[in-house]
């Protein structure tokens, strides 16, 4: 076994149960390989007999997730696996795919146990939608005559008041057998209905996350969430894991979460006693997080090894100017070329920003050829 695979196996075996385990690292550092290795290893263990986890739930903020083929192939057949990504076949993706899984879970025979009213209300509030939704279906080939008797191409119901019935179970069965397929969902805001195509990609991603936690997570789940930050506004990056966990909590679901992210807002969004981090490629073990409450710049520096969130052009020109000043070389034409280039960028830092004072100093130096 290679050193990387050994490290991956150790990290999975030592995962902090019931907590949020956060993987960070540069592109190509191995985060996606770790997720692929971890899910493959879990698949190789008979669930639940030999594993500490009874269920695996896979979510992805990207269409190009690295979950192994077995996950998205078996997810529709194996009740111990749930895939809420976008892959439906080799080189084929579908934006509606995760919603089809969620709707089958909502309508299925186990939905009632998972429908905590508090959790439903919380999700509706966070998603800014009403309880009334519409499901739009398409009949399978040669199935219209037999199916249209009990299900129309559009059904409407209130998810707060939803109760499993023979009809809902029959619809779930028809969806499972592919005699019926979900075409889209319409959600209601105030008096208007919006289909999924009317929503932004960020809205759809947040909806998949919260409704997935509501209807698809089970007790003792291991939940993989690959790059949840994609398409999300920074404010939503800061709240998505917190809202996801709150949904699980209100639904009385105990779960372990493993997140791979490039976002300092996501990495620092969970309280330190509930989160553990590992920075690839050199991280060898989980460390209790110390990122909660830190500024984004501090998180970028301490966890992502990025020492400034400024444009690299600004950083390089500033460092060039300061190096000449440190050496006392006030007569170098290159110093003033660098100052001119930096000032030409028309930067507007806030008064409390160190760059504000640096620019004032450089402007004085440019005019007087000496420091103020």
């Amino acid at each position: 076994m290679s050193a990387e695979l050994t490290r991956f196996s150790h990290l999975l075996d030592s995962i902090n149960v019931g907590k949020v385990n956060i993987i960070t690292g540069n592109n190509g550092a191995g985060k996606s390989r770790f997720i692929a290795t971890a899910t493959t290893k879990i698949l190789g263990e008979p669930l639940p007999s030999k594993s500490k986890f009874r269920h695996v739930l896979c979510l992805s903020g990207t269409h190009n997730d690295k979950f192994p083929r077995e996950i998205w192939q078996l997810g529709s057949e194996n009740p111990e696996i749930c895939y809420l990504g976008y892959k439906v076949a080799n080189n084929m993706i579908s934006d509606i795919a995760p919603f089809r899984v969620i709707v089958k879970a909502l309508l299925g025979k186990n939905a009632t146990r998972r429908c905590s009213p508090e959790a439903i209300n919380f999700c509706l509030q966070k998603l800014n939608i009403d309880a009334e939704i519409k499901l739009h279906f398409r009949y399978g080939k040669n199935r219209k005559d037999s199916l249209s008797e009990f299900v129309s191409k559009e059904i409407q119901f209130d998810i707060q008041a939803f109760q499993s019935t023979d009809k809902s179970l029959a619809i779930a069965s028809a969806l499972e057998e592919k005699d019926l397929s979900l075409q889209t969902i319409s959600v209601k805001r105030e008096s208007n209905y919006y289909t999924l195509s009317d929503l932004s990609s960020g809205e759809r991603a947040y909806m998949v996350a919260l409704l997935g936690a509501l209807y698809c997570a089970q007790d003792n789940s291991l939940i993989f969430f690959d790059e949840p930050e994609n398409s999300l506004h920074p404010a939503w990056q800061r709240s998505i894991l917190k809202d996801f966990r709150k949904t699980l909590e209100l639904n009385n679901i105990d779960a372990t979460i493993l997140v791979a992210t490039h976002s300092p807002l996501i990495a620092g969004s969970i309280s330190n006693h509930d989160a553990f981090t590992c920075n690839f490629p050199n991280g060898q073990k989980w460390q209790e997080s110390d990122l909660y409450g830190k500024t984004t710049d501090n998180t970028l520096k301490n966890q992502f090894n990025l020492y400034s969130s400024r444009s690299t052009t600004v950083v390089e020109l500033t460092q060039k100017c300061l190096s000449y000043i440190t050496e006392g070389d006030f007569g170098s034409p290159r110093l003033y070329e660098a100052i001119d280039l930096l000032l030409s960028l028309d930067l507007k830092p806030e008064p409390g920003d160190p760059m504000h004072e640096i620019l004032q100093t450089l402007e004085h130096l440019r005019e007087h050829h000496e420091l103020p």
Side-chain angles (χ1 to χ4, degrees), residues 39 79 84 105 109-110 126 152 164 168 209 239 249 265 299 301:
T39 48
L84 291 179
K109 62 182 179 180
N110 295 320
K126 290 299 178 179
S152 63
S164 182
S168 67
S239 63
E249 177 189 334
L265 294 169
T299 301
K301 180 177 70 174

Side-chain angles (χ1 to χ4, degrees), residues 66-363:
K66 300 301 181 184
F67 293 114
R69 178 184 300 179
E70 293 82 357
I71 288 290
W72 48 266
Q73 284 185 332
L74 294 177
S76 61
E77 304 170 2
N78 189 336
E80 295 162 345
I81 299 169
C82 181
Y83 173 68
L84 291 179
Y86 301 92
K87 290 184 179 178
V88 293
N90 288 333
N91 302 318
M92 292 182 63
I93 59 174
S94 169
D95 285 331
I96 191 67
F99 291 97
R100 287 174 172 159
V101 176
I102 290 168
V103 166
K104 283 192 288 186
L106 187 160
L107 298 175
K109 62 182 179 180
N110 295 320
T112 304
R113 188 198 72 79
R114 296 195 295 272
C115 290
S116 156
E118 295 81 9
I120 293 174
N121 291 338
F122 176 78
C123 288
L124 293 175
Q125 176 188 357
K126 290 299 178 179
L127 296 173
N128 188 29
I129 59 175
D130 296 340
E132 296 177 27
I133 66 170
K134 294 179 181 179
L135 303 180
H136 306 269
F137 298 111
R138 182 178 65 188
Y139 300 120
K141 187 176 181 180
N142 300 323
R143 300 299 294 164
K144 180 178 179 179
D145 291 342
S146 58
L147 293 176
S148 59
E149 296 178 5
F150 72 91
V151 58
S152 63
K153 296 184 71 173
E154 178 185 300
I155 64 172
Q156 177 179 332
F157 61 92
D158 184 320
I159 62 175
Q160 287 177 316
F162 175 77
Q163 294 291 328
S164 182
T165 64
D166 289 343
K167 180 177 179 179
S168 67
L169 293 175
I171 294 173
S173 177
L175 290 169
E176 189 68 39
E177 296 298 323
K178 298 182 172 56
D179 293 332
L180 194 67
S181 65
L182 180 73
Q183 289 302 99
T184 190
I185 298 172
S186 293
V187 295
K188 188 177 182 183
R189 286 180 178 154
E190 298 178 352
S191 59
N192 299 315
Y193 278 97
Y194 302 91
T195 66
L196 293 177
S197 61
D198 294 324
L199 305 179
S200 71
S201 57
E203 287 177 300
R204 294 195 300 270
Y206 219 97
M207 193 175 294
V208 168
L210 295 198
L211 296 183
L214 184 64
Y215 292 111
C216 300
Q218 299 181 19
D219 262 340
N220 298 320
S221 287
L222 174 58
I223 300 174
F224 293 90
F225 207 156
D226 189 17
E227 298 186 7
E229 65 270 18
N230 285 353
S231 299
L232 297 186
H233 182 277
W236 283 4
Q237 291 183 33
R238 189 171 55 189
S239 63
I240 188 169
L241 281 188
K242 181 178 67 174
D243 289 348
F244 186 86
R245 293 189 80 222
K246 185 66 174 179
T247 302
L248 295 173
E249 177 189 334
L250 291 173
N251 228 11
N252 299 311
I253 297 292
D254 293 323
T256 300
I257 303 174
L258 195 153
V259 181
T261 184
H262 293 287
S263 170
L265 294 169
I266 285 179
S269 66
I270 301 298
S271 60
N272 291 334
H273 64 271
D274 282 331
F276 290 78
T277 63
C278 185
N279 192 36
F280 280 21
N282 297 320
Q284 300 294 319
K285 60 181 181 179
W286 300 106
Q287 304 282 349
E288 186 171 349
S289 176
D290 63 355
L291 303 177
Y292 189 65
K294 286 187 175 180
T295 65
T296 299
D297 277 351
N298 280 336
T299 301
L300 285 171
K301 180 177 70 174
N302 297 332
Q303 186 66 32
F304 293 84
N305 300 319
L306 188 64
Y307 289 86
S308 177
S309 57
R310 299 188 199 277
S311 159
T312 54
T313 299
V314 173
V315 172
E316 290 168 359
L317 286 173
T318 303
Q319 290 176 339
K320 188 173 184 179
C321 293
L322 294 179
S323 67
Y324 281 110
I325 293 172
T326 301
E327 294 171 2
D329 191 1
F330 298 144
S332 172
R334 293 184 177 179
L335 166 61
Y336 298 99
E337 288 175 4
I339 293 175
D340 287 342
L341 283 172
L342 186 58
L343 296 179
S344 72
L345 298 176
D346 194 27
L347 305 178
K348 302 185 186 304
E350 298 291 329
D353 187 338
M355 182 59 73
H356 186 270
E357 184 177 348
I358 290 173
L359 291 176
Q360 287 183 328
T361 299
L362 293 177
E363 287 174 347

Side-chain angles (χ1 to χ4, degrees), residues 9-23:
S9 181
H10 171 72
L11 284 172
L12 181 60
D13 291 341
S14 61
I15 197 169
N16 299 278
V17 176
K19 305 294 185 180
V20 180
N21 300 263
I22 302 170
I23 294 286

